[in-house]
């Protein structure tokens, strides 16, 4: 028996995450991450989302579009295991999957229908800006939440690192936050960096490297210290400059 089928994007996700590095490894870990799901033609019709506003959360089925060219792998090295132990791809949420499909549950804040466009305002996403969405489904608490479920290697939430801002970064942060569009910038930066987005093999030894994470149209420069993560600078991003219309 064989089966093939072609799918197309029903929407695209607009998020603060302009590069893969720094994106939370699971949804719901950074509630300050706000964005939109913008429906694409011919699906951008009010009738297609009629009644969706009654749900607090939705499932997004999406495509790992930037990984498709690299193909899939039978085994992967989960960060939870320090990158040193292999598990089967179907025992993980690896991005290198046979059909490149992922799923995330996100909080739904509002359904906007204006100027011929349909947009879902969401938060808590773990998706790269521009991610193609192949389906949208309501989250049903009585069936989707299983109280006694076992999470295997991911039973517990990840331990968070402390995040501080040096004097220069604090001053830059205060300047940016005068703009209402950046009102939750501190919370977003802290939420993203507290997950410690570094490769797993970096976490067991001293790491003097300077890191950069692109959020909205800003580059967040930071490093790991013995006591936690310190933000050094917040500057205009070269990543974000590619499409300035994506500024929050």
């Amino acid at each position: 028996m064989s089966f093939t089928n072609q799918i197309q994007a029903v929407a695209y996700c607009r998020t603060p995450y302009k590069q893969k590095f720094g994106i939370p490894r699971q949804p719901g870990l950074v509630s300050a991450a706000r964005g939109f799901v913008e429906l694409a033609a011919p699906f951008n019709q009010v009738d297609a989302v009629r009644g969706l506003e009654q749900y607090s959360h939705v499932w997004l089925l999406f495509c790992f579009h930037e990984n498709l060219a690299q193909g899939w792998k039978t085994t992967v090295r989960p960060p939870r295991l320090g990158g040193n132990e292999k598990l089967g791809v179907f025992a993980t949420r690896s991005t290198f999957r046979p059909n490149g499909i992922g799923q995330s549950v996100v909080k739904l804040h509002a359904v906007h229908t204006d100027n011929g466009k349909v947009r879902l305002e969401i938060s808590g996403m773990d998706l790269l800006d521009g991610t193609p969405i192949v389906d949208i489904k309501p989250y049903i608490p009585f069936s989707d939440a299983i109280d006694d479920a076992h999470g295997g290697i991911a039973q517990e939430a990840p331990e968070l690192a402390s995040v501080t801002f040096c004097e220069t970064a604090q001053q830059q942060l205060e300047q940016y936050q005068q703009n209402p569009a950046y009102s939750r910038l501190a919370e977003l930066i802290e939420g993203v960096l507290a997950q410690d987005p570094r490769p797993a093999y970096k976490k067991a030894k001293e790491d003097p490297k300077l890191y950069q994470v692109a959020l909205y149209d800003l580059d967040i420069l930071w490093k790991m210290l013995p006591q936690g993560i310190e933000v050094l600078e917040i500057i205009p991003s070269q990543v974000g400059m590619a499409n300035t219309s994506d500024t929050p």
Side-chain angles (χ1 to χ4, degrees):
M1 181 180 296
S2 65
F3 170 79
T4 59
N5 184 40
Q6 289 185 333
I7 59 176
Q8 65 183 108
V10 303
Y12 292 89
C13 202
R14 310 309 301 177
T15 84
Y17 305 120
K18 304 301 181 182
Q19 59 186 138
K20 289 184 285 186
F21 180 66
I23 298 178
R25 295 188 174 98
Q26 302 294 342
L29 297 179
V30 183
S31 60
R34 299 287 287 259
F36 293 90
V37 173
E38 299 179 346
L39 271 65
F43 312 104
N44 59 334
Q45 302 179 41
V46 174
D47 282 347
V49 294
R50 188 182 302 277
L52 190 61
E53 69 281 351
Q54 66 186 297
Y55 299 96
S56 67
H57 293 75
V58 294
W59 287 105
L60 301 179
L61 276 69
F62 61 91
C63 183
F64 292 109
H65 60 299
E66 290 205 349
N67 287 354
L68 294 178
Q70 301 178 55
W72 68 285
K73 301 176 182 179
T74 56
T75 59
V76 296
R77 300 177 184 271
R80 282 271 185 163
L81 300 179
N84 299 316
E85 190 174 334
K86 290 184 177 181
L87 288 179
V89 63
F90 295 131
T92 74
R93 296 194 180 188
S94 168
T95 60
F96 299 101
R97 316 193 68 80
N99 290 305
I101 293 177
Q103 64 177 22
S104 291
V105 63
V106 298
K107 183 172 178 59
L108 176 64
H109 293 274
V111 177
H112 300 279
T113 55
D114 47 57
N115 298 322
K117 296 182 179 179
V118 179
R119 299 192 304 163
L120 311 181
E121 186 176 350
I122 63 170
S123 69
M125 78 292 289
D126 57 344
L127 304 178
L128 182 69
D129 185 58
T131 293
I133 306 299
V134 298
D135 204 358
I136 302 166
K137 299 176 183 289
Y139 177 89
I140 309 298
F142 80 86
S143 64
D144 291 347
I146 303 174
D147 293 336
D148 59 350
H150 293 281
I153 63 171
Q155 184 69 26
E156 303 295 333
E159 184 177 347
L160 300 180
S162 65
V163 179
T164 59
F165 296 79
C166 75
E167 184 176 352
T168 297
Q170 184 64 42
Q171 292 175 351
Q172 293 167 334
L173 177 65
E174 292 172 358
Q175 290 180 339
Y176 279 113
Q177 289 193 141
Q178 292 177 15
N179 182 340
Y182 294 110
S183 62
R184 302 186 70 184
L185 181 60
E187 187 179 351
L188 178 62
I189 294 173
E190 291 170 359
V192 169
L193 297 187
Q195 311 295 324
D196 191 354
R198 296 176 302 157
Y201 69 89
K202 290 277 193 178
K203 300 181 182 182
K205 55 186 178 182
E206 185 176 349
D207 184 8
K209 182 178 177 179
L210 176 66
Y211 289 93
Q212 168 266 339
V213 165
L215 298 175
Y216 294 124
D217 56 351
L218 302 172
D219 276 344
I220 316 304
L221 306 181
W222 57 279
K223 65 180 179 180
M224 176 62 72
L225 301 175
Q227 65 272 24
I229 289 172
E230 183 178 41
V231 179
L232 303 178
E233 278 193 284
I234 305 172
I235 59 177
S237 175
Q238 295 302 310
V239 177
M241 292 299 288
N243 189 348
T244 55
S245 65
D246 294 337
T247 304

